[in-house]
Amino acid sequence: MMKNILRLLIIVPLFVACEDVFTPEKENIRDLDAMYNEPTYAQGILANAYVLLPYSTSPTSDVATDDAVTNDISNDYLRMATGSWAANFNPTSQWQTRKNVIQYLNIFLENADKVIWSKDEIVRTMYNDRLKGEAYGLRALQMYYLLLAHGGWTEDGRLLGVPIDTIPETSSSDFNKPRDTFGKCIQQLYRDAQRAIELLPLDYGDITDAQIPAKYRALGVTVASHYNRVNGNHMRGRLTARIVEAIRAQAALLAASPAYNQGSGVTWEEAANYAAVVLDRINGTTGLAANGGTWYANVNEIENLGSGVVPPEIIWRGDIGQSNSLETDNFPPSLYGRGRINPTQNLVDAFPMANGYPIDNGASVYDPANPYSNRDPRLAKYIVVNESKQGPQNSTIITGLYGTNNDVLNKESGYSTRTGYYLRKLLRPDCNPDPQYNT
Amino acid sequence: MKYIQIKFILCGMLAFLSFYIKAQTFAENGVDSLNNGKDSLVQVAYQKVASSDLPGGVSMINVRELIKKNYYTYSLDNMEGYVGGWNGNSLWGMDSYLVLVDGIPRDASSVLPEEIEQITFLKGASAVVLYGSRAAKGVIYISTKKGKAEPFKINARANTGFHVSKRYPKYLGSAEYMSLYNEARENDGLQPLYSEEDIYHYSTGENPYRYPDIDFYSSDYLNKAYNRSDIMAEFTGGTNRARFYTNIGYARQGDVFNFGEAKNNYSSRLNIRGKVDVTFNDYIRASINANTIFNDSRSANGDYWAAASTMRPNRLSPLIPLDYIEENDINSWTLIKNSSNIIGGKYFLGGTQIDMTNIFADYYAAGYNKSTTRLFQFDTGIDFDLSSLLKGLSFRTQFAVDYATSYRTSYDNEYAVFEPVWSNYNGKDVIAGLTKYGNDRKPGIQNIGESAFNQTLDFSGAFNYKTSINSIHNISAILVGAGYQQTQSGVYHRTANANLGLQLDYNYKDKYFAEIGSALVHSAKLAKGHRNAFSPSLTLAWKMHNEDFLKNSQVVDEFVLSTSGSILHTDLDISDFYMYTANYTQAQGAWWGWYDGAVERSTNSLRGSNEDLTFIKRKEFSVNARTSLWHNLINADASFFINSMEGMIVRPSTVFPNYFFTYWPEASFIPYLNYNNDKRIGFDFNVKFNKRIEKVDLSLGVSGTYYDTEATQRDENYEWAYQNRVGHPVDGIWGLQSEGFFQDQEEILNSPEQKFGGTVKPGDIKYVDQNKDNVIDEKDEVFLGRGGWYGTPFTLGVNLTAKWNNFTLFVLGTGNYGAYGLKNSTYYWIYGDRKYSEVVRGRWTEETKKSATFPRLTTESGSNNFRNSDFWLYKTDRFNLAKVQLTYDLPKHMLRNFFLHEVSCYVSGSNLLTVSDEREILEMNITSAPQTRFYNLGVKVVF
């Protein structure tokens, strides 16, 4: 009897599982050096820059300008526009995100040469070139947005940018570096852009043996399929030299603008030349698409886009997706939307007449009793004005006080327009946010 | 073994009626409940000590005696009314506590008060050192009843009672809301929204369907009271060989709603517990305990109380009579005929395009859900008397496995609502047309979700050695090894504790005591080589009543003074495993895609590395005194403590730039460090008076706990000294300091700019510029008061028992003082579309500017006014009359030859009264079910 109990006593504890009691349960903890043998892992470091691209898919900061307001009283930009912009409340800040991306890009550039992208040395070189080109180009993009949000003049007249980082920072780095000048930042941006343009192809696409670029032919690439593996169709959507040229032109325009050209060292001529590089590739302004102004609503064009292919108006686009959140946010309330972005009278008045003259000019035929007739066609394309049509059933939207539904000016807080106008640009009228259909 | 009637335990509940046991004669009117049993044993860490030997920092409640005069339902209810040190929230102001039921970490709600023998509060660090790391912030040890060697006895109890809501929030009616909303629009420079004519129609209440005015708290929807009943039976008995204890109970509670599916809301609990204690021979004893609890509840889909706090009274009429539809309106009648939600044959569901669902329609048409929980607990222990090896040595081992599972089943339906277009024919209101929104869908599928389970495994073994040399030197020792592991579904890592413990006690002639407690704690959450730590504790005590100068004192029966110092190591505040190692991962990366189909994930650093991450320490010094005076007239004990939690884990944001971490993707380069320190200082006391006056036995107990916290080290970098959290209480409320309202535009122009957004107008709150920089922003926030998050700074408990003849009156009161709260719920912070409560009647207007109590109304976000400041601060000081119970025990001589041995019946009321300046706020629940008073009638019989 005693023996049985003793036996039980000894055996029972062995059934007790001991995970996390003495030693921790295994977790997949990895370190940075895993990237040298795993190209996907290494590419993941670069992916941070793509995940945190600064572009937004809907109008956001427009509501902090004179162009539009939002009817959402808890919106950060509305708070900012009405006085609470402060050092510790800055919705326009790019500091944290951009510098974080630059940190990952620097880690990537420091280690990319050691990564075994491919067992074939030549293919490895092509991958390395392209991925490093992407990293340099994206670093130029981060610098552009940092200068946009945080560049400025000091009290004593110097034009400063941000501290330039080209190597990754560690926990023991000195973080108290002063800002570099705006001019130096622009030069760093140009350098990064130049390196990117040299390393990246103009566009991604499958080529034939005859079209292999000279620098790779010199390395020994004879079969186009090796090149297509690195820079073929299936890479469309990633950064190309064409896109970097456009980023460079945008940055040059910022530096040459009246706000900064006294201190940046960039002239209008320089900005114009960089823009010309981009436009020359589509044969100048004659190459602009006729329906490019409504690129978001050209249904046939969108439906027939090939994988990664961009319509003529667009330089760089994200992946195709299906969603009606933009319409649910911005359609007038009678169409089951929330009417968020309300263009202001300022913006409406900025549209000239169809004959080209501004509305307050004597030569225009502006009629205050019919303010929306004979106007520049873009007014009707981009803004829902009183008595215009919107939505899948072409419903008439009445924002005047004689209206009867929630579309009326200031009718329902959080749904109705505050200005008398609703947004049309960027919305596809064939969407239906009615919860019964929700298409 | 044949006397172990195991089958009997399982079927005893069916068979008890056939038993008829001769009544033994008991002492006249039973146990004196005033006597706490000075020689009763108190459970402390791994041993039971006599109450005269209780170490400092430990308090005990004898629940078996308490339940005779105070029937209550949750094991830890109002315990601050009986002992000091526990303030309802924490032990000595620490921020968590461990509950052990019979030595195993379990939920306090899995034990019913009727099943409890005693509850021990192990408050001091010296009292919990043997339990290791996870007990470092205090332990509440609940000991359940065991069977005794006595004839078979059945103890049955039945209760029924009613919950009556204490107080409902008061919101404005439609007409008042609409006119005040117009005022808010005017304040913002907008045109009024509601016409005077509309407001007039709403105010007359002539047609509540066309001009709705919904009162969520009216008797149309809520009952005045709802019922709770329970019944319980306890079977005990046994011989010297085997003893058993069984408890079976069932409780059921209804709900306050009286319409729709919500009428059928209920929650119920069935529990079955069985314990067998077996003595095999002189050397071996064993016990087996099993407990199961079945919890079920049913509720209608939807949250009524949240809707009550947000839905404005004039939005819609939830039910509209069919009579209003015109007879000839074929379109409308067709719509209605096809609707499957005609309530009571008379009403259809109303709604609008913006409010397509509402809580009333939900309760009629959206279906219901049932929640089920099953709990199973099992533990077994074996005691070995090893006196044959070494006199005074014994060994106890215990093993437990608990398992709990829960899930929710629901039937979720959708419904259509109809918006009526009203018009007036011949002076009568009729519905001219209906618009349908939504669709009626009853899928009939039972959805199962929210399933979870958790499991606990516990093992311990303890050697206990007691010896005495010449009765002068008394030595005892405990050597223990224990560990447990708790698994939760959906959580990868388990909660675990493993430690060795050694305690050595020595006392000289029962006068001078010394105790060294120590533990070797092990934690798997730290890096290899850093996983063990040694926690020492030293206690010295002096029993002064055994000294010659006090031995024959008429005043002092007992006086013990003790002091202890300890350093406990704990990993309780280490929230996760592997926090010490750098970690790059792609497995949690954010997704990005190109080519409309190719995807990749980002690789991110989750943290920097710090291999030296170590335990958090609780360093404590305490002094305790316990005394009994004038032959048990007064029993008192008090403790003073000062402790410091050192080395709490932080990610130092002041040393690294903010771009070293991002919210999305969740990533960081910053390591974890041991840095923050907290200090706590306080005292607790417990005084009991027992006196017999004439024929009345009186017993009065007063207990209290006071604690103060201070942040002694923080990773922070504020510009101004007053902003520093260091030097202020850990549970502090921070906010702006206000100085009234802006009375006119001139005052606004002459004051610092308030940068919180929106346009500041007369009637907005004016704040104080602390740092004189002519700008009011977050830098002007100061410490406002203690929030009392670990219990109010001072907690008081008062209990009074009076026995006269066979009546026992028990009164319990608790008090909370010293903490502050913020009126920041939707009831007080009213702006935009929020529902207007009665507080807006005190709003600022030009006419009432001198006496206003609420800022000007606004339809904007009011971010200037609605932020933490002392304008919204209030004191939560209160005294509660928590319980009053009157019990009548039938005199024993009346039951002499009856089959019932004891009968007692009682009536009680709980949560009866709150005495406080801010009673209205404290008694009111805004987004959750209301607080209730509970009136109960019960009867207890013993067979």
Side-chain angles (χ1 to χ4, degrees):
Chain A
M1 178 65 221
M2 256 291 267
K3 278 218 175 80
N4 285 333
I5 293 173
L6 276 171
R7 274 198 205 120
L8 204 67
L9 199 62
I10 294 166
I11 292 171
V12 153
L14 296 175
F15 288 132
V16 175
C18 283
E19 295 99 355
D20 284 333
V21 178
F22 297 112
T23 53
E25 190 73 82
K26 281 203 189 32
E27 260 190 42
N28 198 6
I29 308 269
R30 316 191 73 192
D31 206 348
L32 192 59
D33 40 15
M35 74 188 280
Y36 302 129
N37 289 321
E38 285 181 45
T40 341
Y41 191 85
Q43 213 169 298
I45 308 270
L46 180 62
N48 279 297
Y50 283 107
V51 164
L52 291 171
L53 281 174
Y55 306 112
S56 61
T57 51
S58 62
T60 46
S61 55
D62 294 72
V63 299
T65 70
D66 288 339
D67 285 345
V69 295
T70 173
N71 66 5
D72 173 11
I73 55 173
S74 58
N75 183 291
D76 276 349
Y77 288 101
L78 186 139
R79 284 180 60 193
M80 186 181 125
T82 53
S84 62
W85 200 8
N88 55 3
F89 177 70
N90 182 5
T92 61
S93 175
Q94 293 285 337
W95 185 263
Q96 185 172 11
T97 321
R98 299 299 130 228
K99 294 215 61 128
N100 180 269
V101 171
I102 291 178
Q103 168 79 354
Y104 278 108
L105 288 172
N106 288 340
I107 292 175
F108 182 80
L109 286 168
E110 191 179 64
N111 291 301
D113 291 326
K114 296 182 241 167
V115 175
I116 303 177
W117 299 109
S118 165
K119 294 234 169 61
D120 183 318
E121 188 52 40
I122 300 174
V123 174
R124 197 199 74 81
T125 310
M126 286 201 280
Y127 269 122
N128 200 30
D129 280 353
R130 187 199 94 214
L131 289 164
K132 282 177 75 170
E134 290 182 49
Y136 284 119
L138 288 166
R139 199 165 71 180
L141 179 63
Q142 310 309 311
M143 178 58 79
Y144 171 51
Y145 272 82
L146 275 173
L147 289 176
L148 255 183
H150 299 287
W153 294 94
T154 62
E155 277 176 354
D156 50 348
R158 290 174 299 145
L159 181 61
L160 295 184
V162 295
I164 299 174
D165 285 302
T166 50
I167 49 170
E169 291 176 293
T170 64
S171 42
S172 46
S173 305
D174 174 24
F175 302 115
N176 275 325
K177 292 183 296 190
R179 291 172 180 249
D180 288 298
T181 63
F182 197 100
K184 270 181 95 175
C185 292
I186 285 288
Q187 294 308 315
Q188 175 65 34
L189 192 154
Y190 286 161
R191 265 199 299 277
D192 282 341
Q194 187 55 35
R195 260 186 289 197
I197 291 166
E198 283 163 11
L199 291 168
L200 289 170
L202 183 64
D203 295 302
Y204 293 114
D206 290 340
I207 58 169
T208 61
D209 289 355
Q211 295 166 308
I212 297 176
K215 61 177 173 174
Y216 292 134
R217 204 186 290 278
L219 267 184
V221 179
T222 48
V223 181
S225 64
H226 288 167
Y227 180 83
N228 290 341
R229 191 173 144 192
V230 180
N231 288 326
N233 281 349
H234 58 283
M235 287 302 156
R236 287 186 175 144
R238 296 183 75 97
L239 199 71
T240 62
R242 189 190 292 267
I243 299 169
V244 178
E245 284 169 357
I247 295 171
R248 183 176 59 184
Q250 285 180 317
L253 184 63
L254 174 73
S257 62
Y260 298 130
N261 59 13
Q262 295 302 311
S264 65
V266 175
T267 58
W268 281 118
E269 189 185 339
E270 199 176 310
N273 284 336
Y274 281 133
V277 169
V278 180
L279 286 170
D280 283 346
R281 298 203 187 276
I282 57 166
N283 291 323
T285 49
T286 54
L288 292 172
N291 64 353
T294 51
W295 51 269
Y296 49 87
N298 299 334
V299 179
N300 276 334
E301 189 179 73
I302 295 173
E303 300 291 316
N304 292 321
L305 275 179
S307 291
V309 173
V310 286
E313 177 68 14
I314 304 295
I315 297 178
W316 193 16
R317 71 166 176 85
D319 273 358
I320 290 181
Q322 284 230 349
S323 149
N324 66 354
S325 54
L326 209 55
E327 286 72 18
T328 314
D329 275 344
N330 292 301
F331 267 6
S334 69
L335 297 176
Y336 299 91
R338 292 189 209 119
R340 284 277 174 262
I341 307 290
N342 308 140
T344 55
Q345 189 64 48
N346 279 14
L347 182 61
V348 171
D349 288 344
F351 287 90
M353 301 303 294
N355 65 9
Y357 287 98
I359 58 173
D360 53 355
N361 185 293
S364 71
V365 288
Y366 181 65
D367 175 13
N370 287 315
Y372 312 121
S373 52
N374 288 324
R375 298 290 291 273
D376 184 311
R378 286 174 292 184
L379 174 60
K381 283 190 198 164
Y382 294 155
I383 297 181
V384 174
V385 300
N386 188 23
E387 292 190 7
S388 64
K389 299 198 192 299
Q390 176 65 302
Q393 275 100 36
N394 248 356
S395 329
T396 307
I397 306 294
I398 312 266
T399 63
L401 292 171
Y402 57 92
T404 52
N405 57 18
N406 284 325
D407 292 340
V408 169
L409 176 70
N410 277 327
K411 186 79 184 290
E412 176 78 34
S413 169
Y415 289 91
S416 307
T417 173
R418 291 173 54 205
T419 58
Y421 302 104
Y422 291 97
L423 184 71
R424 193 191 298 277
K425 188 176 186 181
L426 301 180
L427 306 180
R428 270 183 62 164
D430 52 335
C431 282
N432 191 351
D434 183 344
Q436 275 193 61
Y437 305 103
N438 210 25
T439 55
Chain B
M1 297 293 187
K2 62 184 175 180
Y3 296 108
I4 302 173
Q5 298 166 32
I6 298 179
K7 285 183 208 153
F8 172 84
I9 295 159
L10 297 172
C11 333
M13 62 203 87
L14 302 169
F16 77 89
L17 283 170
S18 62
F19 273 82
Y20 183 86
I21 299 179
K22 251 196 160 145
Q24 281 182 301
T25 49
F26 288 87
E28 197 57 34
N29 253 8
V31 183
D32 181 3
S33 62
L34 295 177
N35 182 5
N36 289 330
K38 277 194 69 171
D39 295 307
S40 59
L41 293 175
V42 178
Q43 172 76 46
V44 292
Y46 292 105
Q47 62 174 332
K48 285 195 170 56
V49 296
S51 54
S52 51
D53 286 332
L54 261 188
V58 176
S59 298
M60 189 273 277
I61 297 179
N62 186 331
V63 178
R64 189 192 275 269
E65 294 303 318
L66 178 65
I67 204 108
K68 289 183 182 162
K69 55 190 181 182
N70 171 20
Y71 177 71
Y72 66 107
T73 49
Y74 170 63
S75 55
L76 297 179
D77 217 8
N78 287 324
M79 286 286 132
E80 63 267 29
Y82 315 107
V83 292
W86 164 255
N87 59 16
N89 221 303
S90 65
L91 294 162
W92 281 3
M94 305 300 285
D95 54 19
S96 72
Y97 56 91
L98 179 68
V99 175
L100 296 178
V101 177
D102 296 330
I104 297 135
R106 287 175 172 157
D107 228 14
S109 58
S110 64
V111 192
L112 296 169
E114 268 287 1
E115 298 170 328
I116 302 178
E117 179 71 49
Q118 63 176 236
I119 301 180
T120 319
F121 294 89
L122 303 173
K123 309 169 288 198
S126 50
V128 296
V129 61
L130 285 180
Y131 283 120
S133 163
R134 295 201 71 81
K137 292 190 178 174
V139 169
I140 300 178
Y141 195 112
I142 300 177
S143 311
T144 53
K145 288 181 183 166
K146 290 163 113 96
K148 297 197 190 129
E150 60 186 15
F152 176 59
K153 195 166 79 164
I154 302 175
N155 176 355
R157 209 186 259 271
N159 290 281
T160 184
F162 286 92
H163 285 277
V164 178
S165 301
K166 270 196 199 180
R167 184 184 292 273
Y168 289 127
K170 292 203 189 68
Y171 288 100
L172 301 183
S174 290
E176 201 177 350
Y177 164 72
M178 290 159 82
S179 41
L180 287 181
Y181 189 77
N182 280 348
E183 183 184 311
R185 299 256 304 196
E186 254 183 75
N187 284 346
D188 295 329
L190 297 169
Q191 291 297 314
L193 183 60
Y194 301 109
S195 67
E196 288 301 321
E197 198 196 326
D198 264 347
I199 296 179
Y200 170 73
H201 284 299
Y202 279 89
S203 68
T204 55
E206 66 206 40
N207 183 349
Y209 304 107
R210 180 170 182 182
Y211 304 108
D213 189 357
I214 307 176
D215 177 9
F216 277 82
Y217 304 100
S218 83
S219 51
D220 292 342
Y221 308 113
L222 305 177
N223 284 328
K224 285 231 176 341
Y226 60 97
N227 179 278
R228 180 193 190 277
S229 302
D230 67 64
I231 182 167
M232 179 222 77
E234 211 176 50
F235 309 87
T236 55
T239 65
N240 282 330
R241 272 278 180 200
R243 300 158 292 282
F244 66 89
Y245 171 87
T246 308
N247 184 311
I248 302 167
Y250 180 74
R252 190 179 172 107
Q253 179 169 298
D255 205 348
V256 70
F257 303 106
N258 66 4
F259 70 101
E261 274 300 333
K263 262 199 309 240
N264 302 325
N265 288 0
Y266 74 88
S267 64
S268 74
R269 188 205 71 236
L270 170 70
N271 71 287
I272 304 173
R273 182 187 288 266
K275 273 184 158 204
V276 180
D277 292 285
V278 182
T279 307
F280 292 111
N281 56 36
D282 286 339
Y283 305 107
I284 306 178
R285 279 176 297 141
S287 64
I288 300 178
N289 313 310
N291 179 30
T292 76
I293 303 185
F294 298 75
N295 272 312
D296 288 285
S297 75
R298 174 184 161 136
S299 60
N301 284 337
D303 185 347
Y304 188 84
W305 308 107
S309 67
T310 50
M311 187 164 125
R312 291 160 282 169
N314 64 334
R315 296 303 287 176
L316 51 85
S317 175
L319 295 179
I320 302 177
L322 297 167
D323 305 337
Y324 281 103
I325 306 178
E326 268 201 297
E327 267 184 39
N328 305 324
D329 186 354
I330 301 180
N331 291 335
S332 298
W333 279 109
T334 320
L335 273 180
I336 290 292
K337 290 257 163 51
N338 288 332
S339 159
S340 39
N341 287 316
I342 302 296
I343 311 298
K346 291 202 294 180
Y347 301 95
F348 65 88
L349 298 173
T352 65
Q353 188 174 26
I354 291 183
D355 296 310
M356 285 197 272
T357 58
N358 63 75
I359 191 65
F360 301 99
D362 280 346
Y363 275 10
Y364 280 114
Y368 64 91
N369 63 78
K370 279 187 169 173
S371 166
T372 309
T373 311
R374 302 277 177 260
L375 173 73
F376 173 71
Q377 297 174 332
F378 171 80
D379 64 88
T380 174
I382 308 181
D383 290 84
F384 296 92
D385 185 352
L386 299 172
S387 296
S388 52
L389 286 174
L390 176 65
K391 192 159 187 314
L393 183 68
S394 62
F395 178 72
R396 168 151 230 267
T397 177
Q398 186 177 42
F399 169 73
V401 58
D402 296 347
Y403 186 77
T405 176
S406 67
Y407 58 90
R408 189 181 287 272
T409 59
S410 65
Y411 288 100
D412 301 314
N413 305 328
E414 285 170 33
Y415 52 88
V417 294
F418 301 92
E419 184 173 11
V421 176
W422 292 91
S423 66
N424 202 295
Y425 289 170
N426 301 329
K428 252 193 9 145
D429 285 326
V430 285
I431 295 178
L434 285 178
T435 322
K436 178 175 163 203
Y437 297 109
N439 275 315
D440 289 323
R441 271 194 206 101
K442 279 197 168 73
I445 307 170
Q446 188 183 53
N447 302 310
I448 302 184
E450 286 179 41
S451 69
F453 68 85
N454 60 61
Q455 179 193 66
T456 304
L457 289 169
D458 179 281
F459 176 75
S460 69
F463 281 99
N464 220 308
Y465 176 68
K466 273 190 176 39
T467 185
S468 119
I469 304 173
N470 293 336
S471 296
I472 298 180
H473 308 281
N474 303 308
I475 301 172
S476 68
I478 303 176
L479 177 68
V480 62
Y484 70 81
Q485 177 198 66
Q486 291 173 310
T487 313
Q488 225 180 321
S489 64
V491 178
Y492 180 67
H493 282 292
R494 297 165 172 85
T495 308
N497 188 29
N499 68 291
L500 295 174
L502 175 65
Q503 180 169 305
L504 298 164
D505 286 272
Y506 168 78
N507 78 61
Y508 178 76
K509 286 191 180 169
D510 207 32
K511 277 196 247 180
Y512 310 108
F513 291 75
E515 178 182 292
I516 298 177
S518 64
L520 184 70
V521 299
H522 178 95
S523 171
K525 289 180 177 173
L526 299 169
K528 221 169 166 176
H530 295 80
R531 287 187 182 142
N532 296 317
F534 180 70
S535 300
S537 167
L538 174 67
T539 307
L540 299 168
W542 182 15
K543 278 198 185 171
M544 287 173 51
H545 59 274
N546 284 338
E547 289 287 0
D548 295 327
F549 57 88
L550 277 183
K551 231 182 164 90
N552 299 312
S553 165
Q554 287 303 311
V555 174
V556 177
D557 306 325
E558 189 189 15
F559 191 81
V560 183
L561 198 62
S562 71
T563 174
S564 59
S566 342
I567 301 179
L568 297 186
H569 290 262
T570 175
D571 68 350
L572 267 178
D573 288 322
I574 303 180
S575 53
D576 203 358
F577 286 77
Y578 292 109
M579 285 168 84
Y580 51 87
T581 168
N583 186 2
Y584 274 83
T585 180
Q586 195 172 30
Q588 286 167 248
W591 291 97
W592 174 71
W594 73 96
Y595 194 57
D596 298 318
V599 289
E600 68 181 356
R601 291 188 95 151
S602 65
T603 305
N604 295 102
S605 164
L606 292 184
R607 54 183 172 259
S609 110
N610 174 17
E611 295 283 312
D612 294 328
L613 202 66
T614 183
F615 289 91
I616 293 133
K617 296 196 243 302
R618 172 181 175 177
K619 295 185 179 166
E620 183 168 282
F621 171 74
S622 69
V623 176
N624 313 284
R626 195 174 64 242
T627 179
S628 168
L629 304 170
W630 290 294
H631 299 293
N632 234 8
L633 177 67
I634 296 180
N635 291 322
D637 73 77
S639 303
F640 165 80
F641 64 90
I642 174 167
N643 70 35
S644 173
M645 294 294 290
E646 292 182 5
M648 292 185 291
I649 314 268
V650 283
R651 279 198 148 159
S653 56
T654 55
V655 191
F656 297 100
N658 77 338
Y659 54 83
F660 257 31
F661 92 99
T662 49
Y663 290 110
W664 182 82
E666 250 182 80
S668 172
F669 290 98
I670 305 178
Y672 287 100
L673 292 180
N674 295 87
Y675 193 74
N676 284 1
N677 293 347
D678 283 345
K679 186 176 93 168
R680 284 175 174 79
I681 186 170
F683 62 86
D684 73 55
F685 63 89
N686 187 0
V687 184
K688 294 203 246 287
F689 303 91
N690 309 312
K691 187 147 177 85
R692 194 184 180 92
I693 302 175
E694 307 277 311
K695 285 194 173 174
V696 179
D697 277 321
L698 272 182
S699 170
L700 172 70
V702 178
S703 59
T705 315
Y706 171 77
Y707 78 100
D708 193 7
T709 64
E710 186 187 320
T712 39
Q713 187 165 278
R714 284 288 182 273
D715 163 57
E716 61 186 4
N717 189 7
Y718 289 104
E719 208 175 326
W720 308 96
Y722 62 78
Q723 287 180 290
N724 285 336
R725 267 48 179 173
V726 167
H728 287 108
V730 172
D731 56 346
I733 298 179
W734 290 74
L736 300 159
Q737 205 183 344
S738 69
E739 39 180 25
F741 300 109
F742 283 113
Q743 300 293 28
D744 48 46
Q745 192 61 29
E746 209 187 311
E747 198 179 342
I748 297 176
L749 293 170
N750 291 336
S751 305
E753 195 190 340
Q754 305 198 167
K755 292 186 127 308
F756 298 115
T759 322
V760 177
K761 290 195 179 143
D764 283 337
I765 301 177
K766 181 174 172 184
Y767 298 113
V768 172
D769 184 8
Q770 302 290 343
N771 52 11
K772 307 276 182 283
D773 61 353
N774 222 23
V775 157
I776 312 270
D777 55 14
E778 275 90 9
K779 295 201 198 105
D780 294 297
E781 285 185 358
V782 293
F783 170 76
L784 296 177
R786 292 187 61 183
W789 301 338
Y790 316 120
T792 51
F794 182 65
T795 310
L796 179 71
V798 178
N799 63 74
L800 174 69
T801 314
K803 288 183 66 127
W804 175 74
N805 274 0
N806 296 313
F807 286 94
T808 311
L809 174 70
F810 175 77
V811 178
L812 176 68
T814 59
N816 299 296
Y817 304 96
Y820 291 85
L822 275 178
K823 295 184 206 171
N824 57 3
S825 61
T826 56
Y827 196 73
Y828 295 96
W829 284 12
I830 299 172
Y831 53 85
D833 292 342
R834 287 194 168 178
K835 195 168 175 180
Y836 282 20
S837 71
E838 56 167 11
V839 304
V840 302
R841 290 195 182 125
R843 75 215 178 277
W844 190 98
T845 58
E846 274 299 328
E847 296 81 30
T848 61
K849 55 162 75 168
K850 294 282 184 262
S851 57
T853 52
F854 188 85
R856 69 171 176 100
L857 293 172
T858 177
T859 58
E860 294 169 357
S861 66
S863 49
N864 179 69
N865 301 327
F866 302 112
R867 48 185 51 250
N868 289 0
S869 71
D870 64 1
F871 182 86
W872 304 105
L873 199 69
Y874 68 101
K875 281 193 172 164
T876 58
D877 295 348
R878 63 193 291 178
F879 184 81
N880 310 307
L881 185 61
K883 192 77 185 280
V884 175
Q885 176 165 321
L886 182 64
T887 318
Y888 177 68
D889 300 300
L890 234 55
K892 297 268 171 142
H893 58 82
M894 277 179 60
L895 298 166
R896 213 164 280 247
N897 286 316
F898 199 44
F899 73 101
L900 297 168
H901 295 157
E902 279 175 43
V903 176
S904 75
C905 56
Y906 49 91
V907 61
S908 70
S910 315
N911 296 332
L912 291 173
L913 197 61
T914 305
V915 179
S916 163
D917 283 338
E918 304 282 2
R919 189 163 46 98
E920 286 172 19
I921 308 173
L922 295 171
E923 284 183 342
M924 191 166 62
N925 281 356
I926 296 162
T927 49
S928 55
Q931 297 175 27
T932 59
R933 296 192 171 87
F934 181 57
Y935 303 102
N936 185 41
L937 179 68
V939 65
K940 180 183 109 153
V941 297
V942 178
F943 296 83

